[in-house]
Amino acid sequence: MQNIRNIAIIAHVDHGKTTLVDKILHSCAIFRDNQETGDLILDNNDLERERGITIVSKNVSVRYKDVKINIIDTPGHADFGGEVERVLKMADGVLLLCDAFEGAMPQTRFVTQKALALGLKPIVVVNKVDKENCRPEEVYEQIFELFFNLDATEEQLDFPVIYGSSKQGWMSTDYKVKTDDIFPLMDAILENIPPAPISEGTLQMQITSLDYSSFVGRIAIGRVARGVIKENQPVSLVKRDGKIQKSRIKELYTFEGLGKVKVQEVKSGDICAVVGIEGFEIGDTIADFENPEQLEVIHIDEPTMNMLFTINNSPFFGKEGKFVTSQRLRERLYKEMEKNLALKVVETDSPDSYLVYGRGILHLSVLIETMRREGYELQVGQPQVIVKEIDGRKNEPIETLIVDVPGEVAGKVIELVTQRKGELLIMEPKGDLQHLEFEIPSRGIIGLRNNVLTATAGEAIMAHRFKSYEPWKGTIPGRSNGVLVSMEKGSTTAYSIDKLQDRGRFFVDPGVDVYEGQIMGEHIRDNDLVVNLVKGKALTNMRASGTDDNTRIAPAIKFSLEEAMEYIQADEYIEVTPASMRLRKIYLTENERKINAKKFQS
């Protein structure tokens, strides 16, 4: 055995994983005393910092009592489950973080199931015990029950529990006894997580992650499962389909602190980064040159949703983006598939459009947002759930939906969910909130969050996870209101918006350039209405005292990308550019829309 521990940190979104890693890095003296680090050190890209969530898993390592601990920080959101599934292969144990008030949430169940199935040794950390209304003992019981329901082994059921607060930087074996540091957790890792075993034999290493450097290109990251990997060593790359490519290792790195250190060789059990291998994909095996043996290919759950990605063909195309052609769009989507295992791209009949399959709205919106920031212009259609035929019957994805709301608005939430074919399974008090659990088609969740937050004045806490494919539940009512569509190209005027305010709520401010067919706002009725927001006031050379009305305009509604994706219907697109986001009809003129109306009636 060697002095290495490989551990993954898993939890539901926002239960404190990345904050805990910060504290571990600080307490193991990774930084100089005068070094400025800030918070959430590992959430290092702009999107992660803005949204406050981890999107891509990260590797770091610390040394504690002469033992090297490799830590893998994983995303907590169900849409990034593909990321979690592949990196758990590098770990020997998991730290399962759970909020002392919220308890085991849907994503806690999902990641725990994956970890237990791989036979990983768990340590449970009940975090945020400094919160009001927290219930550490109940949460412990809840997690034990969860482990039991997920068929954990007796050894896994005998898990150690650590209580504490990542934010305040303390951990303890008893939540009533507050300590000064997180070392009780570090000691629990050394005592309970098995050391990385040394496995003799020919080389085997599975690529479970990748990195990119502008100097050396793509870097393969994985854990050496057997044997020793050396610099300048000739190797075989066994592809997922069994084909074998011959290659050579140019450079080897292991993880130290937040960075990488160049080494001559890496023994089995350690996690390393390999430079010099061409044409690899995640899931491939780096094996012995003469006698290559493949490791079991990583299985990733199927996507549940797809969206049409197409080039921007609006009247404003090419004004704001650098990359606007279908060739650029195709290259970018296929490049994303290399590292995003839960994503799938399928070509359509049109050379300008691609169907992109993903895990959910957030999974796809993060891709769109990343592309937008890189300078791409594109249009996306309405998200559609993936329907399967099983035993001659139409089946659709069903999800478990959990909503925690104040008791007085629980009735409104139940009404909204049941309208969308949701079934109420559990209703029980949780602190001062009502805890509701439903089963609902994935289609029903699209657009539900906005309605629930509006009905509960923003106080609802929602989470959902994929359950299974079940028979089709029938039609679900879509958006109840029509939209206001622009009649002309030009610049919006305050005069026109003011005069049309009784027809609906607007998405644009005065002085904004618009084009024919662009969606300007939401109509008060269920049909679409064509409006002219470009028209200015007719001016005369007579000055009339007191007859000019001062315009009073309600503020425009601004959608986030996810809200827009949930809002649009089958005959609409979102136009996404580096500088703006517009909603539009697929057919811009009213005449074309009438001719093609039957296409979208289903």
Side-chain angles (χ1 to χ4, degrees):
M1 294 293 181
Q2 48 193 345
N3 280 348
I4 295 178
R5 305 286 192 279
N6 297 315
I7 190 159
I9 299 190
I10 58 174
H12 183 79
V13 66
D14 208 25
H15 279 197
K17 293 181 297 301
T18 308
T19 306
L20 178 61
V21 177
D22 283 6
K23 295 300 182 230
I24 293 173
L25 291 171
H26 281 291
S27 51
C28 292
I30 289 290
F31 308 106
R32 300 188 311 273
D33 292 341
N34 62 348
Q35 193 170 343
E36 284 287 323
T37 57
D39 294 332
L40 302 176
I41 301 157
L42 290 195
D43 283 352
N44 50 12
N45 75 40
D46 293 344
L47 258 183
E48 289 182 318
R49 287 195 167 278
E50 283 169 27
R51 292 166 181 258
I53 58 172
T54 303
I55 294 169
V56 183
S57 60
K58 319 281 190 319
N59 293 65
V60 291
S61 109
V62 296
R63 289 198 180 269
Y64 177 69
K65 293 185 177 176
D66 290 330
V67 176
K68 179 181 182 183
I69 303 174
N70 286 316
I71 301 169
I72 307 155
D73 182 25
T74 63
H77 205 285
D79 283 19
F80 306 112
E83 191 79 17
V84 180
E85 286 169 64
R86 62 186 170 87
V87 298
L88 284 179
K89 287 260 190 174
M90 294 195 271
D92 292 306
V94 289
L95 280 188
L96 172 63
L97 246 75
C98 209
D99 186 302
F101 170 69
E102 289 185 355
M105 297 289 278
Q107 186 63 8
T108 315
R109 184 186 181 93
F110 174 81
V111 290
T112 308
Q113 189 174 2
K114 298 289 176 194
L116 295 179
L118 287 168
L120 303 181
K121 174 75 181 167
I123 295 177
V124 172
V125 180
V126 179
N127 194 20
K128 305 190 183 183
V129 295
D130 52 320
K131 271 174 114 173
E132 284 181 38
N133 299 331
C134 71
R135 44 200 188 107
E137 285 165 357
E138 273 182 58
V139 169
Y140 168 73
E141 295 292 335
Q142 208 180 6
I143 290 173
F144 186 86
E145 201 175 310
L146 173 67
F147 275 47
F148 184 76
N149 292 339
L150 293 174
D151 298 329
T153 62
E154 283 189 27
E155 193 187 352
Q156 287 172 328
L157 280 171
D158 186 23
F159 55 82
V161 185
I162 303 288
Y163 300 92
S165 164
S166 303
K167 199 161 193 179
Q168 293 181 358
W170 65 272
M171 290 285 156
S172 168
T173 49
D174 182 350
Y175 69 91
K176 294 171 185 155
V177 180
K178 186 174 176 180
T179 60
D180 299 326
D181 50 46
I182 62 162
F183 294 136
L185 171 64
M186 304 304 287
D187 291 329
I189 292 173
L190 298 193
E191 285 165 31
N192 294 284
I193 302 298
I198 292 178
S199 181
E200 299 292 340
T202 55
L203 170 64
Q204 275 188 317
M205 169 184 156
Q206 188 158 45
I207 300 168
T208 45
S209 193
L210 61 83
D211 201 351
Y212 184 80
S213 152
S214 50
F215 298 107
V216 295
R218 294 166 78 228
I219 302 168
I221 297 172
R223 171 186 166 163
V224 183
R226 191 175 74 193
V228 179
I229 188 166
K230 298 178 182 176
E231 194 176 57
N232 217 22
Q233 176 183 356
V235 292
S236 297
L237 179 70
V238 187
K239 306 289 286 177
R240 290 169 71 101
D241 57 8
K243 287 181 184 165
I244 296 172
Q245 280 174 222
K246 300 299 181 185
S247 194
R248 186 179 286 274
I249 309 291
K250 284 184 187 164
E251 291 175 356
L252 270 180
Y253 295 87
T254 56
F255 292 89
E256 284 291 337
L258 289 170
K260 300 186 190 86
V261 177
K262 192 173 179 186
V263 291
Q264 295 299 310
E265 65 172 48
V266 179
K267 292 179 180 164
S268 63
D270 205 352
I271 295 170
C272 66
V274 179
V275 174
I277 292 183
E278 297 290 324
F280 67 83
E281 291 171 1
I282 289 171
D284 293 352
T285 304
I286 297 173
D288 186 63
F289 185 76
E290 288 172 356
N291 302 308
E293 290 178 52
Q294 186 175 19
L295 283 162
E296 187 189 345
V297 176
I298 302 170
H299 170 71
I300 298 290
D301 286 353
E302 288 285 304
T304 56
M305 197 167 277
N306 68 30
M307 283 179 79
L308 187 75
F309 279 50
T310 181
I311 58 166
N312 185 12
N313 60 2
S314 82
F316 292 167
F317 83 96
K319 286 189 175 180
E320 295 165 353
K322 286 191 291 184
F323 308 120
V324 295
T325 62
S326 57
Q327 178 65 22
R328 289 290 198 154
L329 178 64
R330 184 179 190 280
E331 284 172 7
R332 180 64 183 82
L333 290 175
Y334 278 90
K335 184 181 165 194
E336 184 68 24
M337 271 207 315
E338 289 178 1
K339 62 176 188 289
N340 198 333
L341 281 198
L343 199 79
K344 206 168 93 184
V345 178
V346 175
E347 300 196 7
T348 63
D349 301 338
S350 162
D352 298 335
S353 305
Y354 301 89
L355 268 181
V356 179
Y357 290 74
R359 277 284 181 83
I361 294 272
L362 184 63
H363 187 203
L364 293 165
S365 76
V366 164
L367 169 61
I368 297 165
E369 182 65 32
T370 308
M371 289 173 68
R372 184 177 81 76
R373 289 172 185 222
E374 290 170 3
Y376 286 83
E377 278 194 18
L378 67 151
Q379 295 182 139
V380 293
Q382 185 188 28
Q384 306 282 348
V385 299
I386 296 166
V387 178
K388 286 184 177 175
E389 185 126 332
I390 303 171
D391 300 331
R393 294 184 69 186
K394 192 174 170 187
N395 280 250
E396 64 175 328
I398 303 292
E399 308 213 15
T400 302
L401 170 70
I402 292 181
V403 191
D404 292 336
V405 286
E408 63 273 13
V409 287
K412 287 183 188 172
V413 174
I414 294 169
E415 186 186 343
L416 283 170
V417 178
T418 47
Q419 280 172 1
R420 291 167 172 259
K421 308 288 183 191
E423 288 177 34
L424 181 65
L425 304 177
I426 296 172
M427 182 176 182
E428 58 191 18
K430 177 176 168 183
D432 52 359
L433 299 174
Q434 277 289 347
H435 176 77
L436 309 173
E437 279 189 34
F438 302 90
E439 274 186 10
I440 181 172
S442 296
R443 293 176 295 142
I445 291 177
I446 298 174
L448 179 66
R449 187 179 297 272
N450 279 350
N451 296 349
V452 167
L453 290 176
T454 305
T456 60
E459 291 198 52
I461 302 162
M462 278 178 71
H464 56 90
R465 69 177 174 87
F466 172 70
K467 177 178 170 273
S468 61
Y469 270 87
E470 290 180 19
W472 183 262
K473 302 284 186 197
T475 53
I476 291 176
R479 190 174 67 202
S480 52
N481 292 39
V483 288
L484 303 171
V485 184
S486 175
M487 182 189 291
E488 285 190 34
K489 186 175 177 179
S491 190
T492 56
T493 63
Y495 172 78
S496 294
I497 293 175
D498 180 43
K499 295 296 179 202
L500 289 165
Q501 278 188 114
D502 58 339
R503 294 304 179 97
R505 304 177 305 161
F506 285 97
F507 305 155
V508 290
D509 292 309
V512 174
D513 286 337
V514 297
Y515 53 80
E516 183 182 4
Q518 188 177 331
I519 295 170
M520 302 285 94
E522 185 174 82
H523 193 197
I524 52 170
R525 297 191 177 162
D526 60 2
N527 63 313
D528 294 347
L529 183 69
V530 179
V531 294
N532 184 352
L533 292 190
V534 178
K535 189 176 167 190
K537 187 181 178 195
L539 301 175
T540 68
N541 55 6
M542 296 288 289
R543 292 186 61 187
S545 64
T547 57
D548 278 4
D549 294 336
N550 288 331
T551 56
R552 290 190 185 88
I553 298 171
I557 297 167
K558 299 294 180 192
F559 285 133
S560 70
L561 180 57
E562 280 103 79
E563 287 168 344
M565 286 162 71
E566 293 185 340
Y567 184 80
I568 61 168
Q569 298 295 299
D571 63 336
E572 295 162 4
Y573 278 155
I574 307 169
E575 179 190 348
V576 185
T577 73
S580 41
M581 186 181 80
R582 305 179 186 94
L583 305 188
R584 55 159 284 186
K585 290 288 184 183
I586 293 177
Y587 295 101
L588 295 178
T589 66
E590 192 175 5
N591 203 25
E592 280 181 314
R593 287 198 292 277
K594 283 177 180 169
I595 294 167
N596 293 285
K598 282 185 181 172
K599 277 188 192 177
F600 304 108
Q601 288 170 2
S602 59

